Amino acid sequence: MSGNSEWRGSVELGALLDAARKKLESNWLRVGGNITVDLSDAPELWRLCSAISRSNSSLHSRARSTRLDLERFDAWLSHPLNGGLGLIDTLMSQAPLQDKKRIAADKAQVRADALDRARDVLGGGTDREWIEHWIASLLNQDGTLGGRVAVDALEVATKVLAMLPVDGMSLTELAELACGDTKALSAGGAPKLVLDALSLRENVPRPVDPVGIRALWETAGVSVDAVSSRVLVLGYRVDETHTVAGWLNEAADEGIPFPVTVDMLMRGTLTNSSATVFVCENVAVLAAAARTLGSNCASLICTDGQPSAAVHRLLASRAPGTTIRWRADFDWAGVHMVKRALSRYDAVPWRMDVDSYRHALDARNSEPLKGHPTDSPWDPELAGALRDSGRAVMEDRLVPDLLTDLRLGSGD
């Protein structure tokens, strides 16, 4: 057997060890199988391979490549004449070996565990539709967690989503409470994952501009800007006597619509004095009530689209036993909104029934339905009628009936 001293430190032995390292690191560090050797890598490589393979006749200086059995290479290195160290020990003496298969498997397991935790944490409630859509959006075709999704970002997003909705909490407060890190939602993949989930939950397109992003956070009651986040009210009288409460009561007595910001809501509680509070989606309804009913209007909240953090914070301070009558546009986003209000506030639908829809429907002046269809548990026929017509009805068309309810202080 050719002695190792002849080849120690040679480019020929270095080439074989490099090729063997790549093979082992990609094969669970198992010494087995063959490596393909490019004999042009070193001048005498053909001779070293012949010595290891114990075959002087199979190779010559003009050969281009050969296959070398790793077990023979291991045995050759282990021989006392060649130093007595096997292949793995020889490679480890140069640099640590990386079990890339094991590392990849461990990473895959970590990602699978993170995905399972997300399912467990978020999948316990009744509102599973958006959760399944969100998780599906994270997956590769084989059902594993997509490579673009970092495990730590998914962990943060899951913790945050598990805490939502909140009532006017700031982003930094939410990040601290959910993750113990005020900056957890300031950048990176976590806030994007949360916003993707919220867009599915609220059945609205994923926004890309700052205004749309702020509005989407606010649907979950998160206040990105305590001054800009607001809720419009009319006739909303409260029990308290502090400054903001005084403004609200004076505005109600004068029949003036009044904007309430999260900043105002943070300065003191505002507990409604009326037993019933009405909620509409469009400013046109509140404007018509102010113009027509004035100070004789029942307590009315206008979400002006998707409910903001200010809406949620105001309703969080409602008096015990308050009846909340909630309505929105007759479209899929509106049905989703009312469903969430019924779940979150035990609200009662306000003229959100199939008869009201059919009465207001005029295909010539109605918009096509958009968004993801959903059910209407309080009136199953409503969702069916929406699907059949394919048309949306904005609540502005119901203004005369809504004003009747607001004057009388009761709703259908």
Side-chain angles (χ1 to χ4, degrees):
M1 176 174 288
S2 177
N4 190 28
S5 58
E6 179 184 354
W7 300 103
R8 185 178 294 119
S10 68
V11 293
E12 287 80 5
L13 182 58
L16 290 187
L17 290 173
D18 287 345
R21 178 181 293 274
K22 291 179 181 178
K23 176 72 172 181
L24 265 63
E25 289 186 335
S26 63
N27 194 34
W28 305 96
L29 302 187
R30 184 174 66 87
V31 178
N34 300 306
I35 56 173
T36 299
V37 182
D38 185 347
L39 295 175
S40 65
D41 286 346
E44 300 293 313
L45 192 51
W46 67 276
R47 192 160 63 87
L48 176 58
C49 288
S50 294
I52 295 171
S53 300
R54 302 177 186 177
S55 174
N56 293 322
S57 60
S58 61
L59 287 176
H60 51 77
S61 59
R62 293 189 299 274
R64 295 183 178 180
S65 65
T66 188
R67 295 176 68 81
L68 182 67
D69 186 292
L70 283 182
E71 290 185 353
R72 282 187 175 275
F73 190 23
D74 180 50
W76 184 84
L77 289 169
S78 300
H79 195 281
L81 294 177
N82 296 324
L85 290 178
L87 178 58
I88 289 181
D89 289 338
T90 300
L91 292 172
M92 289 290 289
S93 69
Q94 296 175 343
L97 283 166
Q98 294 187 12
D99 189 344
K100 294 181 178 179
K101 288 275 191 179
R102 174 57 58 192
I103 292 172
D106 290 345
K107 287 183 178 179
Q109 187 60 52
V110 168
R111 296 168 78 84
D113 291 345
L115 197 59
D116 288 341
R117 282 194 294 275
R119 286 193 176 99
D120 291 342
V121 171
L122 301 177
T126 58
D127 190 8
R128 288 195 55 86
E129 186 177 2
W130 71 267
I131 297 171
E132 293 301 327
H133 283 303
W134 180 62
I135 288 178
S137 73
L138 307 179
L139 303 180
N140 293 314
Q141 289 185 348
D142 61 358
T144 59
L145 189 62
R148 71 190 186 285
V149 182
V151 169
D152 55 350
L154 178 59
E155 296 276 10
V156 170
T158 299
K159 291 177 181 178
V160 169
L161 288 168
M163 295 196 61
L164 299 178
V166 293
D167 298 312
M169 186 180 293
S170 70
L171 267 178
T172 52
E173 289 177 293
L174 176 61
E176 173 65 27
L177 192 59
C179 310
D181 179 4
T182 59
K183 297 181 180 179
L185 294 172
S186 60
K192 179 185 181 301
L193 290 177
V194 176
L195 289 169
D196 287 342
L198 292 180
S199 69
L200 291 169
R201 192 190 75 171
E202 298 299 329
N203 193 33
V204 296
R206 171 71 160 84
V208 294
D209 61 286
V211 174
I213 290 173
R214 184 184 69 200
L216 186 54
W217 275 115
E218 290 194 352
T219 63
V222 182
S223 175
V224 179
D225 182 346
V227 176
S228 297
S229 179
R230 64 168 194 164
V231 52
L232 287 170
V233 300
L234 176 66
Y236 201 91
R237 295 175 174 84
V238 296
D239 294 334
E240 289 78 13
T241 59
H242 55 75
T243 300
V244 176
W247 293 343
L248 269 175
N249 289 329
E250 289 178 15
D253 290 342
E254 296 294 331
I256 298 172
F258 192 82
V260 184
T261 66
V262 168
D263 180 74
M264 293 179 183
L265 291 163
M266 293 169 63
R267 296 174 184 271
T269 57
L270 296 172
T271 310
N272 54 290
S273 57
S274 59
T276 301
V277 173
F278 293 84
V279 180
C280 66
E281 179 179 353
N282 293 309
V283 173
V285 175
L286 183 139
R291 184 177 63 253
T292 306
L293 304 178
S295 61
N296 293 318
C297 182
S299 291
L300 177 63
I301 291 174
C302 177
T303 64
D304 192 15
Q306 292 291 324
S308 66
V311 171
H312 294 304
R313 189 160 188 130
L314 178 62
L315 289 175
S317 64
R318 67 192 182 279
T322 299
T323 298
I324 301 176
R325 296 192 176 275
W326 200 301
R327 68 155 297 102
D329 291 327
F330 283 116
D331 58 12
W332 293 129
V335 175
H336 273 279
M337 191 190 306
V338 174
K339 277 179 65 176
R340 298 198 68 78
L342 268 60
S343 173
R344 182 169 183 177
Y345 297 113
D346 198 22
V348 177
W350 175 27
R351 292 192 183 270
M352 282 294 292
D353 56 89
V354 67
D355 290 338
S356 297
Y357 171 68
R358 287 172 175 160
H359 177 70
L361 181 63
D362 183 345
R364 293 171 301 172
N365 299 315
S366 300
E367 300 177 6
L369 272 174
K370 299 177 182 178
H372 300 293
T374 186
D375 60 344
S376 49
W378 65 92
D379 185 353
E381 290 186 44
L382 173 59
L386 284 165
R387 287 189 180 90
D388 291 342
S389 72
R391 313 298 294 185
V393 174
M394 302 298 102
E395 67 178 354
D396 311 38
R397 194 172 293 175
L398 283 74
V399 163
D401 291 333
L402 302 182
L403 293 181
T404 298
D405 295 341
L406 292 170
R407 184 187 296 276
L408 296 175
S410 63
D412 294 338

